């Protein structure tokens, strides 16, 4: 008799945890297959440190085949799910098609970038959700400072050294905090004309920084950013983006060549193709993470609306904290459906949050206890090392080197502007010329920003006028970065 076939779609926090737990629970009793566009799990909370030149890209990329024994990896993006035929159809990295048959299916496809219908944003902004976007931002920021240092025109110099980050959630806050430190270090080696300094702006229509977190952590982050020189503007966002800068909702026009879009996400549209009931785009599941009426299908992570049993009538939020825990419960319940162990409902308890603000600064409240200064920074980095499923020694080594050596502010030129459009449905992959890309829908302009990065419409302005002075090509997307929770398994 053949062994049951388990297919997991997606290797984010939820999918990776599901695969890792199942590799232990059903070893030799079922075949586990993981479908994912890349061969790594991205530890997203440390991505801002990649953009700031602290960590090398492979440090935050944990090998799937190297850390998931007894799990078969299939590279590809899921296109559709045939629930009646029990198959998943996908496209591989070279454009070929394939399908996977299953007896149990776990949909952990996560979230994709969300665009708001703001004129010019799709053409002129870049998101921050995947490695290509982080590498592009590091090159772009480095290039702007170098071009500014050589510019004869003070206005051009100021525009190139002005960096606008929209969205004061986890990602936007950390990008601005690390970015300010990175450019300050850069100009110490290459002073700008007339004593100019890099200018970083953090915008959000929310009333405070990190609106999802406790006010004490919000105040800490706000204070650190302002002391560092970041212009924090709450109640303000972008009304229009142009090739020369951005028009803010308060009427001010800011000359800039850099617009980083960290304003919200939406569930992966793949779940819509299942034809199952949705809750605000998320696949409805029961407390055991099963899709009602489809006992062989499970959903977890950002793409699943999981009932919050601690707050009846609500669903768990789209954060890494919940996605990671969903993965473990989903794996246990999949195994239980095959007669291995017992199923259990998803419950959680928050143990606090940590936000890395660069250097020794952080905002942290493990177990609800707010920590001061350097202690918060030590706890934050200690948490990241403990939470990462691999590469811990390499990450610690990079942190040590960064503490004693100057950063290498060089452009690698590996990712061009057109390769990371804002409206991409796959921010984890750099765009390949000639390959069609799915476009994301926009959300109403009054949708509330406050977190993070997606792909698609052509930009028509001359290359020298695009942010970064790079050849124009279809751009586009938006992201939500999961928070960095101090979490305990449930």
């Amino acid at each position: 008799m053949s062994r049951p076939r388990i297919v997991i779609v997606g290797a984010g926090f939820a999918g990776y945890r599901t695969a890792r737990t199942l590799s232990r629970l059903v070893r030799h009793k079922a075949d586990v297959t993981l479908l994912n566009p890349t061969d790594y799990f991205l530890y997203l909370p440390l991505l801002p440190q990649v953009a700031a030149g602290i960590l090398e890209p492979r440090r935050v990329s944990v090998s799937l085949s190297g850390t998931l024994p007894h799990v078969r990896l299939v590279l590809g993006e899921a296109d559709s799910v045939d629930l009646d035929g029990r198959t998943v159809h996908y496209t591989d990295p070279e454009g070929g098609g394939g399908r996977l048959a299953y007896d149990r299916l776990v949909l952990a496809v996560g979230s994709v970038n969300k665009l708001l219908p703001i004129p010019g944003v799709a053409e002129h902004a870049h998101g921050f959700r995947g490695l290509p976007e982080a590498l592009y931002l590091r090159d772009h920021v480095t290039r702007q400072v170098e071009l500014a240092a050589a510019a004869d025109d003070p206005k051009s110099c100021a525009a190139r050294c002005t960096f606008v980050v929209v969205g004061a959630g986890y990602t936007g806050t950390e990008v601005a905090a690390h970015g300010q430190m990175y450019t300050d270090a850069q100009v110490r080696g290459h002073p700008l004309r007339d004593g100019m300094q890099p200018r970083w702006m953090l915008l959000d229509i929310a009333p405070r920084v990190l609106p999802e977190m406790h006010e004490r952590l919000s105040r800490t982050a706000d204070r650190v950013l302002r002391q560092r020189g970041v212009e924090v503007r709450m109640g303000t966002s972008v009304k229009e983006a142009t090739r020369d800068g951005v028009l803010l909702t308060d009427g001010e026009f800011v000359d800039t060549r850099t617009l980083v879009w960290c304003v919200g996400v939406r569930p992966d549209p793949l779940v819509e193709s299942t034809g199952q009931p949705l809750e605000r785009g998320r696949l409805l599941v029961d407390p055991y993470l099963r899709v009602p009426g489809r006992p062989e299908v499970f959903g977890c992570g950002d793409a699943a609306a999981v009932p919050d049993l601690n707050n009846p009538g609500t669903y768990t939020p789209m954060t890494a904290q919940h996605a990671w825990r969903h993965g473990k419960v989903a794996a246990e319940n999949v195994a239980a459906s095959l007669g291995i162990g017992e199923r259990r409902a998803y419950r959680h308890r928050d143990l606090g949050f940590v936000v890395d603000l660069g250097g020794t600064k952080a905002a942290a409240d493990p177990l609800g206890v707010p920590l001061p200064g350097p202690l918060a920074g030590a706890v934050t980095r200690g948490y990241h090392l403990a939470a990462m499923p691999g590469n811990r020694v390499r990450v610690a080594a990079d942190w040590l080197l960064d503490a004693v050596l100057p950063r290498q502010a060089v452009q690698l030129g590996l990712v061009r502007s057109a390769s990371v459009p804002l409206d991409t449905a796959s921010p984890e992959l750099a765009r390949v010329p000639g390959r069609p890309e799915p476009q994301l829908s926009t959300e109403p302009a009054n949708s509330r920003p406050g977190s993070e990065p997606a792909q698609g419409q052509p930009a028509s302005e001359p290359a020298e006028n695009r942010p970064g002075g790079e050849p124009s090509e279809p751009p586009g997307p938006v992201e939500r970065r999961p928070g960095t929770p101090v979490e305990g398994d449930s």
Side-chain angles (χ1 to χ4, degrees):
M1 183 177 178
S2 61
R3 295 190 295 188
R5 299 161 298 181
I6 303 172
V7 173
I8 304 166
V9 182
F13 281 89
Y16 180 86
R17 186 75 182 279
T18 301
R20 193 172 76 168
T21 305
L22 280 173
S23 71
R24 172 177 54 85
L25 293 178
V26 302
R27 182 178 180 182
H28 306 312
K29 297 178 182 178
D31 295 325
V32 181
T33 300
L34 177 62
L35 175 65
N36 197 59
T38 66
D39 64 353
Y40 59 82
F41 159 72
L42 176 64
Y43 190 73
L44 197 57
L46 291 182
L47 201 59
Q49 297 193 26
V50 173
I54 299 173
L55 297 176
E56 289 304 309
R58 285 184 293 180
R59 304 297 184 257
V60 299
S61 311
V62 178
S63 169
L64 296 178
S65 57
T67 58
L68 297 175
H70 316 299
V71 174
R72 174 191 173 213
L73 172 64
V74 174
L75 291 178
E77 293 184 82
D79 300 319
S80 62
V81 179
D82 181 354
L83 296 181
D84 293 327
R86 295 195 177 190
T87 56
V88 177
H89 299 265
Y90 68 92
T91 302
D92 68 29
E94 297 183 344
R99 66 190 188 113
L100 297 170
Y102 65 83
D103 297 299
R104 298 291 185 275
L105 173 65
V106 180
L107 292 174
V109 289
S111 54
V112 298
N113 304 311
K114 179 178 68 177
L115 282 175
L116 303 179
I118 299 175
V121 166
E123 293 81 7
H124 301 286
H126 287 283
F128 196 84
R129 188 171 180 78
L131 273 179
E133 292 168 325
L135 291 174
Y136 166 75
L137 183 61
R138 184 166 71 178
D139 272 6
H140 174 77
V141 169
T142 303
R143 178 170 56 255
Q144 293 310 304
V145 174
E146 291 173 346
L147 290 173
D152 294 323
D153 178 19
K155 184 177 180 180
S156 174
C157 177
R160 291 191 181 280
C161 281
T162 298
F163 307 95
V164 179
V165 181
V166 185
Y170 297 100
T171 298
T173 298
E174 291 190 356
V175 167
H178 283 281
Q180 179 77 54
M181 293 185 68
Y182 179 60
T183 53
D184 283 352
Q186 199 175 348
V187 298
R188 281 197 291 269
H190 301 279
L192 302 177
R193 293 177 179 272
D194 303 320
M196 289 186 177
Q197 292 296 318
R199 178 190 183 193
W200 283 80
M201 301 177 66
L202 179 61
L203 315 176
D204 202 312
I205 63 171
R208 59 186 175 90
V209 173
L210 299 173
E212 305 99 332
M213 299 181 66
H214 193 282
E215 284 193 37
R216 289 175 301 191
L217 299 187
S218 178
R219 286 195 299 269
T220 297
D222 187 277
R223 182 177 64 254
V224 170
L225 290 171
R226 293 180 189 275
Q227 289 175 346
R228 201 167 282 168
V230 177
E231 293 182 35
V232 180
R233 296 197 186 183
M234 297 293 96
T236 305
S237 190
V238 173
K239 185 176 182 179
E240 181 181 359
T242 72
R243 65 188 185 185
D244 298 316
V246 294
L247 176 64
L248 305 185
T249 53
D250 62 7
E252 179 183 354
F253 186 85
V254 178
D255 293 317
T256 181
R257 301 293 183 270
T258 308
L259 178 58
V260 187
W261 195 251
C262 303
V263 183
V265 295
R266 68 183 182 94
D268 193 297
L270 178 70
V271 298
E272 298 176 8
S273 70
T274 63
Q276 299 301 299
L278 304 177
E279 169 63 29
R280 292 194 171 187
R282 302 166 74 185
L283 184 66
L284 274 172
V285 297
D286 64 19
Y288 300 95
L289 309 185
R290 297 178 309 178
V291 175
R294 298 281 183 176
E296 76 282 2
V297 181
F298 296 76
C300 56
D302 286 358
V306 180
D308 188 343
L309 299 182
N310 294 334
N311 299 284
T314 65
Y315 301 92
T316 58
M318 297 165 65
T319 67
Q321 176 173 178
H322 288 289
W324 187 249
R325 295 173 176 180
H326 287 172
K328 182 179 180 182
V329 174
E332 292 173 346
N333 290 342
V334 168
S337 73
L338 299 174
I340 304 170
E342 297 182 359
R343 71 172 189 166
R344 66 187 179 98
Y346 177 74
R347 290 184 180 274
H348 71 93
R349 61 189 181 96
D350 294 330
L351 299 181
F353 289 85
V354 295
V355 180
D356 192 320
L357 299 174
T360 61
K361 303 293 186 180
D365 65 344
L367 300 177
V369 180
L371 298 179
L375 181 57
V379 168
T380 298
R381 293 203 166 182
Y383 164 73
H384 284 312
L385 286 181
M388 288 194 70
N391 299 346
R392 295 188 182 104
V393 173
R394 289 184 172 91
V395 168
D398 273 7
W399 283 342
L400 177 61
L401 291 174
D402 181 67
V404 298
L405 297 175
R407 293 184 198 175
Q408 297 175 296
V410 296
Q411 301 177 55
L412 299 179
L414 299 178
V415 182
R416 308 299 291 175
S417 176
S419 299
V420 285
L422 182 62
D423 56 353
T424 179
S426 303
E428 68 272 19
L429 298 174
R431 183 164 184 169
V432 178
R435 181 178 175 183
E437 298 283 349
Q439 292 187 356
L440 296 183
S441 64
T442 58
E443 298 291 330
N446 59 359
S447 294
R448 178 177 174 221
S451 290
E452 307 166 276
Q455 176 173 308
Q457 296 180 350
S460 57
E461 69 270 21
E464 65 271 17
N465 292 330
R466 278 180 57 75
E470 296 176 353
S472 60
E473 240 182 73
V478 188
E479 163 219 302
R480 178 182 200 311
R481 148 127 178 259
T484 307
V486 177
E487 60 207 42
D489 294 334
S490 17

